[in-house]
């Protein structure tokens, strides 16, 4: 970028305003342009020795220099446009830094975090740091009580994803937060009065840009009788959040039976939700968690208007996918990948969908088939592991009989199309007869 050496001072900034140039760049200081009489410039000094009969040359040089400065300042204003992202009066508004999906260490490559939970044998958190060709894995034992309440997102607009944990106190209605971000505190606690049928109320937290302003917001899902309310805490892009506002509700729902995945599925700039929900009516025992729901699954499209949610009808899928993942193809609306298993061929089937008018519509092109034997997909996520701007798909699978865990498999995204899967890292094996793996 060119830099101009104009003297510090006030310069026109459009609409009757002036902005201060400090000699090297534009500042945030603005003022109303002066409208009073302007003092005429001091008369030029007389000609130098021997110059009585010649026209002085320096006024033309000053004029040329002034024109160069004015043109340069105009170009700088047009290119830099320092007034954008500011409110009237010159108060700067921070613009969130661009985020590479999954990037937690600032190297421009997406990473992953997995939780390995073995009942009776503790809980392990696995951080997979991408090197562009594979994951360098680091394991840490964590408290099982908080293992189910972690999310990663760029809470404070610094371009990095940090972990945010939450807890909900059913007695006081307090939703509290903890964060791994060392640059600032966690969001302030809020009070939400949830009430469940036959059990203590619980809550789930989902990050997304639901109002389309470029900053991360927090969606809080919690029960109110037989439905789940959807509250949104709008983010300021600096680690602060507004008080919760009720944007909508899910009928026939309970936190443990729903999975909400954000994504801009209609391409309007704000995040919508792909909601995996029960397709059959929940019973009293289902709501109290005394009898865990095992009926048919369905999905809903929840569309954001920027200030509220419009909840679509329940649709039963036809692909029998074990997992769904929303991902950004780099251009156009976000897409949904469905991962299933063909027992006859021993393959994991990956189908890419558009979510239009409340239904999954398969995109044209071949369906990916990854050899897997008896392994079934247990968890999947999106992360831009190669840093090219297109989200990639990452999944893990295990043998449901032997509990053997497979590799961490990556399907690289290229222009909206997923490529064949390759192994990027080996997971530690379960130490008990049963274990569970999921991405945070």
């Amino acid at each position: 970028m060119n830099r101009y050496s104009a003297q510090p001072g006030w310069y026109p900034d459009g609409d009757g305003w002036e902005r201060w140039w400090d000699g090297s760049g534009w500042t945030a200081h603005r003022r109303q342009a002066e409208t009073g009489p302007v003092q005429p410039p001091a008369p030029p000094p007389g000609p130098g020795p021997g110059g009585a009969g010649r026209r002085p040359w320096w006024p033309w040089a000053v004029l040329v220099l002034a024109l160069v400065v004015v043109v340069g300042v105009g170009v700088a204003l047009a290119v830099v446009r320092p007034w954008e992202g500011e409110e009237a009066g010159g108060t700067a508004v921070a613009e969130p830094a661009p985020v590479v999906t999954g990037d937690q260490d600032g190297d421009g490559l997406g990473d992953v975090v997995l939780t390995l939970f073995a009942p009776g044998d503790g809980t392990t958190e696995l951080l997979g740091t991408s090197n562009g060709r594979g994951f360098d894995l680091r394991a840490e034992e964590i408290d099982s009580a908080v293992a189910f309440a972690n999310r990663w997102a760029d809470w404070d607009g610094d371009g990095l994803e940090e972990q945010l944990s939450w807890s909900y106190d059913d007695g006081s209605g307090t939703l509290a937060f903890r964060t791994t971000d060392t640059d600032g505190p966690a969001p302030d606690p809020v009070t939400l009065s949830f009430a469940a049928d036959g059990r203590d109320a619980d809550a789930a937290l989902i990050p997304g840009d639901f109002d389309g302003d470029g900053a991360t917001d927090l969606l809080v899902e919690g029960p109110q009788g037989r439905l789940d309310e959807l509250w949104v805490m709008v983010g300021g892009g600096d680690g602060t959040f507004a008080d919760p506002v009720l944007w909508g509700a899910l009928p026939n729902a309970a936190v443990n039976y729903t999975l909400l995945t954000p994504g801009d599925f209609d391409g309007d700039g704000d995040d919508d939700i792909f909601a995996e929900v029960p397709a059959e009516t929940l019973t009293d025992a289902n709501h109290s968690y005394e009898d865990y729901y095992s009926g048919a699954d369905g999905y809903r499209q929840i569309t954001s208007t920027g200030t509220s949610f419009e909840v679509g009808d329940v649709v039963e899928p036809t692909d029998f996918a074990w997992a769904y993942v929303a991902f950004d193809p780099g251009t156009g609306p976000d897409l949904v990948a469905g991962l299933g298993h063909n027992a006859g061929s021993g393959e994991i089937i990956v189908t890419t969908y558009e979510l239009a008018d409340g239904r999954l519509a398969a995109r044209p092109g071949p369906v990916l088939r990854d050899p897997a034997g008896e392994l079934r997909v247990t968890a999947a996520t999106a992360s831009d592991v190669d840093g090219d701007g297109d989200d990639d798909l990452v999944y893990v699978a295990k043998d449901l009989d032997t509990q053997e865990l497979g590799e961490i498999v990556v399907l690289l995204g290229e222009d909206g199309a997923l490529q064949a899967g390759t192994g990027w890292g080996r997971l530690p094996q379960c130490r008990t007869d049963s274990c569970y793996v999921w991405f945070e």
Side-chain angles (χ1 to χ4, degrees):
M1 181 180 297
N2 292 328
R3 297 189 178 273
Y4 300 94
S5 57
Q7 293 299 311
W10 293 101
Y11 291 88
D13 196 19
D15 300 327
W17 286 83
E18 295 178 327
R19 185 177 296 273
W20 181 260
W21 172 269
D22 64 7
S24 61
W26 295 106
T27 71
H29 303 296
R30 301 176 77 205
R31 71 176 187 183
Q32 291 282 351
E34 297 181 358
T35 57
V38 179
Q39 293 292 333
R54 301 174 56 189
R55 258 183 120 150
W57 59 269
W58 61 266
W60 296 103
V62 170
L63 178 60
V64 170
L65 177 59
L67 287 173
V68 169
V69 170
V70 170
V71 171
V73 169
V75 171
L77 284 171
V79 174
V80 179
R81 301 179 69 84
W83 55 84
E84 289 190 348
E86 297 187 359
E87 299 174 351
T91 302
V93 178
E95 291 289 340
V99 181
V100 174
T101 304
D103 185 12
Q104 297 162 13
D105 55 7
D107 64 353
L109 302 175
D111 311 305
V112 294
V113 181
L114 302 98
T115 299
L116 177 60
F117 172 64
D121 194 44
T123 304
T124 303
E125 186 176 72
L126 296 166
L127 173 60
T129 303
S130 172
N131 57 31
R133 301 173 303 279
F135 292 120
D136 300 321
L137 292 173
R138 186 177 75 250
E140 179 181 355
E141 297 298 317
I142 63 172
D143 184 358
S144 298
V146 300
F148 298 92
N150 294 325
R151 291 289 184 272
W152 289 79
D154 179 19
W155 312 108
D156 54 8
D158 65 355
L160 298 179
E161 293 192 355
E162 295 98 8
Q163 187 183 67
L164 190 72
S165 303
W166 75 95
S167 60
Y168 181 74
D169 187 323
D170 180 55
S172 64
T174 300
L175 182 68
F177 305 96
R178 293 185 309 151
T179 181
T180 58
D181 187 4
T182 58
D183 295 331
D188 293 332
V190 296
T191 300
L192 288 167
S193 298
F194 295 135
D197 280 353
R199 71 176 196 279
D200 289 342
D202 44 6
L205 194 71
I206 299 95
D209 182 13
F210 302 110
D211 61 357
D213 67 351
T216 298
D217 310 312
L218 302 180
L219 167 61
V220 183
E221 176 194 9
Q224 203 62 254
R226 294 302 183 98
L227 54 79
D228 275 2
E229 294 179 331
L230 305 176
W231 295 76
V232 172
M233 300 169 59
V234 172
D238 57 358
T240 62
F241 295 87
D243 291 336
V245 175
L246 184 62
W247 277 34
L250 275 174
N252 188 47
V255 170
N256 278 11
Y257 305 140
T258 62
L259 182 61
L260 307 184
T261 303
D264 183 12
F265 303 115
D266 55 9
D268 66 352
D270 53 37
D271 278 346
D272 313 300
I273 299 170
F274 178 75
E276 298 175 61
V277 297
E280 301 173 17
T281 302
L282 297 176
T283 66
D284 291 343
N286 293 154
H287 275 284
S288 65
Y289 296 159
E290 293 176 4
D291 181 19
Y292 206 76
Y293 177 78
S294 58
D297 295 323
Y299 64 84
R300 296 177 185 264
Q301 181 176 355
I302 303 176
T303 304
S304 171
T305 67
T307 56
S308 64
F309 289 130
E310 297 175 350
V311 179
D313 296 331
V314 176
V315 179
E316 290 194 43
T318 58
D319 60 355
F320 304 105
W322 286 58
Y324 291 100
V325 178
F327 68 98
D328 181 357
T331 58
D334 289 350
L335 304 175
V336 177
L339 296 89
H341 182 264
N342 186 320
S345 64
E347 296 171 316
I348 290 175
I349 310 299
V350 183
T351 308
T352 301
Y353 301 95
E354 296 175 357
L355 185 59
D357 299 324
R359 290 183 174 273
L360 294 173
R363 300 192 84 198
V367 174
L368 284 179
R369 299 175 180 271
D370 271 0
E374 296 301 316
L375 298 179
R376 306 294 201 274
V377 173
T378 59
T381 191
S383 182
D384 187 4
V385 299
D386 57 0
D388 66 350
D390 296 353
D391 281 356
D392 311 304
L393 187 66
V394 186
Y395 74 80
V396 296
K398 74 173 182 178
D399 188 311
L400 300 184
D401 294 326
T402 67
Q403 298 296 301
E404 176 189 359
L405 294 171
E407 291 185 289
I408 305 175
V409 178
V410 170
L411 286 69
L412 294 176
E414 185 175 336
D415 297 328
L418 296 171
Q419 311 302 306
T422 57
W424 273 47
R426 176 65 65 177
L427 290 170
Q429 293 303 307
C430 297
R431 296 172 297 198
T432 61
D433 292 339
S434 63
C435 65
Y436 306 90
V437 180
W438 65 88
F439 289 97
E440 293 182 9

